[in-house]
Amino acid sequence: MIAQIDALKATVEANIASIESIAAKAVEERAASIEARIAVIQAAVDAKTKSIWAKIFGGK
């Protein structure tokens, strides 16, 4: 009986470790996705800012 409980405990601990690993990977992937979106937005803002400054200074 105790051996079965120990085996079950080990299985549960392994499952928890697996879930934690999957969750960590998902968080990393989500962060990378957000960083990529921010980079695209930043590039658009930079381009628009340059365009505005060019209009202010007559294309100089």
Side-chain angles (χ1 to χ4, degrees):
M1 182 68 148
I2 292 176
Q4 289 174 330
I5 292 171
D6 288 342
L8 181 58
K9 179 182 174 190
T11 300
V12 169
E13 289 173 346
N15 288 344
I16 290 170
S18 177
I19 291 167
E20 288 173 341
S21 173
I22 291 167
K25 183 177 179 184
V27 168
E28 289 173 8
E29 289 174 357
R30 181 73 176 143
S33 173
I34 291 169
E35 288 172 355
R37 289 184 205 170
I38 289 170
V40 168
I41 293 167
Q42 187 63 52
V45 168
D46 290 347
K48 189 64 174 176
T49 301
K50 287 177 185 176
S51 172
I52 291 168
W53 282 115
K55 288 177 184 175
I56 291 171
F57 292 109
K60 293 181 182 179

